[in-house]
Amino acid sequence: MEDAVGVVDADDLDEHPEFERPTPHRRRPLVGAQRTLQVILGLLWILDAALQFQPFMFSKSFVNTFILPNATGQPAVIHWAITNVGHFLLPHIAVWNTLFALTQLVIGVGLLFRRTVRPALALSFPYAIGVWAFGEGFGMILTGSATALTGTPGSVLMYALLGLMAWPRATARRADAPTAAGATDSGERVGVASSVAARGIGGALTPLAVWSGFWVLAAVLFVFPDNRTQTSISSAITGMAPGNPGWYAHFVTSVGNQFDLVGTQTAWFLAIVSLIIGLGPLVARRPGPFLAAGAVLSGIFWITGQGLLGGILTGNGTDPNTAPLVILLALAMVPTVQADATSSLAPLAPVVRRNPLLVAGGAAGLVLTLILSGAYPAPAAETAGMAMSGMTGMTGVTPASDTATTASCTAGNSGTARSGLDLTNTPYMIMGGTAGMNMNGADASAAAGLNTTKANWSYTGPAFPTALAQELLADGKNGPDQIHMAATGCAKEPTFSQEINASQYVQSTSQAVARYEDPAAALAAGYVPVSPVTYPVVYYVNPTIEAANAAAKRTLNPKYVDGLVYAQTPSGQEVLAAAMYVLPATVSKAPMPYGALVQWHQRTAVCGPLDGSATSLDITGTPPCSANSVQRPTPYLTMVWQVPVAGGPTAIQPPDIQIVEAAVMASPAT
């Protein structure tokens, strides 16, 4: 009967048939049909295929940028598997990439036609899992530094999970099937159970599990120690700037700087909000507010920590990142029939009735996980490796596991020891064993290297011909007496900001020069050799870019790389060894925005033409100089190495023999 406030009790409806049961409210969501979900998913697969056909993806840099870095920070078994897969693909990456792109295209086109939806989805599941494992490193979840802000657990996994919901099923269902995830007492599907996402494999349980699983995982990851340092949020956002258009780079840098000192508080806030968004659709009859909040928060993640279009604006993105898939999931989960307060149960209620111990155990496990993650002390300061490991959409050149050692710096007053990096500690390499066979680092450029210095670097390739080794040792020793630094003495330890920005500088520069793996491509782009081409290490400079940089007083800009360095291996293969910046004559003081990590040096034991300029790079040979040349130092240079020299990607000039040896090690086909 109707009570004092005009509410009809559910029991009275059964006892008095003259009262009509309320009619559930029906609506037409944006994604109102399973066919719509299939088509959208197909278009996303086609977009991925188009991105996979970019020229960058056919180069070895694709493996070095998107596959091998995923091994960093992983458990030993996964590290081994990813590394071996990467090296397996590397020699024939153009063939493999063609196969990858065509597979994505077949999946996408197949989803656009009703008759081929099932075969396309069947193909997408194993392909997505393979890419998730090796192309995304299992979302980098096991590294301890992954975060939903930058795209964890990865877009390709979401493709597979949405594929389960897009799988076409027969319309006939058991009458009691929906009650496990939301229905009226009579069995009519309401809430998420009536949504498009519930029409695929697993019914309503699948979208509810995926939604809750994603956001609960996000909450747990946000309170991981590495993700709740004071700078973790800031670095994740500002790390999207390099390689993107100026307007967007300025935007993310400005936004990221707002969180520079509140990373810990922001991480906890995001964890709590994520937990509410994830559990809301399980415990509430109407999931709309939680779905809307999740879509909005994902959109914020997308335009900040996920690079707006998942790195597509950088010119070598592979997908639009995870956020658009989460937004699509939210739209697909919008109920077509709203639950009412008198006859519907929350999706979790039937599960609690049937398996209370299971629900209690799951809740206890979640609480314990959050407590353990939150109670573990966060590092006092974030490292570049921590920040980069979570950037699944932007993993480029990731710092290696070897850490740089701080040099003993005693150049202070009366020889008083001071901490810091000794900028005079240049990378003079001594011989170990037979000449040209093995190079061990005497100090391995401890003054630079982006935390990748290996104090005992050694060559692991085939033996060098004696004549080649002797030539390289004689003309390219690059010892301390042959290298002059723009800045000398003791330097402060790099700050975290310098480390992460230097990492992004290396990544962007490497991506910019990846197209020049073949010297022919460099020549076609305007780069010309400025050192003897008969010598195994050859310098190239683009006069147009060099002049433009001088006019603009610009340097260290990945969009305007002055030069390239190629190394010829004993087999005759020419390998891109380094990208090179030449300090413009119009810049009076060598800039060091990354502290001691990126330094400027001159080579002094080289010859140049008599009528040459001290401000241009033009090497005619090494002393003793010929009659028409004179010994003259080069302009100040700084490199971003594309081969594994001892000091890492920003090392000072190593000996030429090590450059060639590193080129051999970087070229499995050699």
Side-chain angles (χ1 to χ4, degrees), residues 91-430:
H92 307 290
I93 186 56
V95 176
W96 285 109
N97 188 70
T98 301
L99 178 62
F100 298 155
L102 290 176
T103 300
Q104 294 172 9
L105 185 61
V106 167
I107 293 171
V109 173
L111 287 170
L112 300 183
F113 299 94
R114 293 181 183 274
R115 292 184 178 181
T116 54
V117 166
R118 283 190 176 90
L121 288 175
L123 175 61
S124 74
F125 296 144
Y127 179 81
I129 295 302
V131 173
W132 186 58
F134 301 107
E136 295 185 351
F138 296 98
M140 306 301 283
I141 295 172
L142 299 178
T143 65
S145 302
T147 167
L149 176 59
T150 55
T152 297
S155 58
V156 72
L157 178 64
M158 295 301 297
Y159 282 159
L161 295 174
L162 283 167
L164 294 175
M165 304 171 212
W167 186 273
R169 296 195 303 161
T171 56
R173 293 181 176 90
R174 290 176 51 192
D176 62 344
T179 62
T184 64
D185 294 336
S186 63
E188 182 181 15
R189 292 184 299 276
V190 297
V192 174
S194 68
S195 70
V196 167
R199 299 176 190 175
I201 297 173
L205 293 178
T206 297
L208 286 169
V210 172
W211 180 267
S212 298
F214 173 85
W215 287 107
V216 169
L217 175 64
V220 171
L221 293 177
F222 275 126
V223 298
F224 267 27
D226 288 354
N227 292 332
R228 51 182 166 84
T229 66
Q230 288 292 9
T231 56
S232 58
I233 302 296
S234 175
S235 65
I237 296 174
T238 58
M240 295 297 107
N244 274 301
W247 63 269
Y248 180 68
H250 175 74
F251 168 74
V252 292
T253 300
S254 300
V255 172
N257 289 339
Q258 304 304 312
F259 297 92
D260 196 33
L261 299 177
V262 292
T264 302
Q265 299 90 321
T266 305
W268 277 107
F269 173 77
L270 291 174
I272 294 171
V273 172
S274 297
L275 200 61
I276 294 172
I277 291 173
L279 297 180
L282 294 179
V283 299
R285 291 185 179 91
R286 297 194 173 189
F290 305 100
L291 299 176
V296 170
L297 186 56
S298 293
I300 294 173
F301 290 170
W302 194 37
I303 64 176
T304 56
Q306 295 181 23
L308 185 60
L309 292 175
I312 292 177
L313 296 180
T314 66
N316 48 38
T318 58
D319 55 65
N321 217 315
T322 306
L325 281 304
V326 178
I327 295 172
L328 177 60
L329 173 60
L331 294 174
M333 289 178 64
V334 172
T336 58
V337 181
Q338 283 283 19
D340 63 79
T342 61
S343 61
S344 303
L345 297 174
L348 194 60
V351 182
V352 174
R353 287 180 180 177
R354 291 196 297 267
N355 300 288
L357 292 179
L358 178 63
V359 175
L366 173 59
V367 171
L368 181 61
T369 300
L370 290 170
I371 291 175
L372 291 176
S373 300
Y376 199 88
E382 191 178 17
T383 67
M386 286 160 46
M388 293 297 289
S389 66
M391 298 180 184
T392 58
M394 288 290 289
T395 49
V397 178
T398 307
S401 57
D402 304 280
T403 57
T405 56
T406 302
S408 175
C409 195
T410 58
N413 296 330
S414 302
T416 303
R418 297 188 299 177
S419 62
L421 297 178
D422 185 353
L423 299 190
T424 61
N425 187 15
T426 53
Y428 177 58
M429 311 300 289
I430 61 175

Side-chain angles (χ1 to χ4, degrees), residues 1 26 59 76 79 118-119 168 239 303 329 332 335 350 360 408 516 565 599 604 616:
M1 297 296 293
R26 302 179 185 275
S59 69
H79 182 283
R118 283 190 176 90
I303 64 176
L329 173 60
S408 175
Y516 304 126
V565 180
Q599 302 170 41
T604 59
S616 62

